Amino acid sequence: MRLRVEFTTEPFDLDEAPAHAVVAREIVTGAELDAVDVGPFGNTAEGDADRVLNAVDALLRRSLAAGATRVSLQVNVVADGDGGGAAGDDRGGAADGEGDAT
């Protein structure tokens, strides 16, 4: 199974990256995940379920220890690249948060 994690850490600092954001970035870039995209307002990564879950565990523990006061994250099951959808996932485009009515 493949998973995609999207996350942010707070508090934000637009002048320089806070320690908790640096730690989070180091974790996802060092976790041998695919399609890692880190940015100032959100981060995503995909990979094998075990690697993603291990990275999420480390991300939560280490970014909170480094001063994060809030970590927002979402984990989605994604297609494994063969053109088929994830098993049991019939949510269409809303799976990535786009088009949500909430």
Side-chain angles (χ1 to χ4, degrees), residues 57-68:
D57 178 61
L59 181 137
L60 290 171
R61 293 174 188 277
R62 291 182 49 204
S63 61
L64 290 168

Side-chain angles (χ1 to χ4, degrees), residues 21-98:
V22 173
V23 165
R25 180 176 58 226
E26 289 172 352
I27 290 167
V28 295
T29 57
E32 298 181 26
L33 300 174
D34 306 324
V36 174
D37 182 22
V38 294
F41 300 110
N43 310 281
T44 61
E46 288 184 21
D48 172 75
D50 286 334
R51 288 185 181 179
V52 171
L53 294 173
N54 287 335
V56 166
D57 178 61
L59 181 137
L60 290 171
R61 293 174 188 277
R62 291 182 49 204
S63 61
L64 290 168
T69 57
R70 178 180 176 142
V71 179
S72 301
L73 66 89
Q74 178 173 317
V75 177
N76 293 304
V77 175
V78 295
D80 40 350
D82 63 357
D89 186 2
D90 61 350
R91 295 173 290 174
D96 64 359
E98 294 179 10

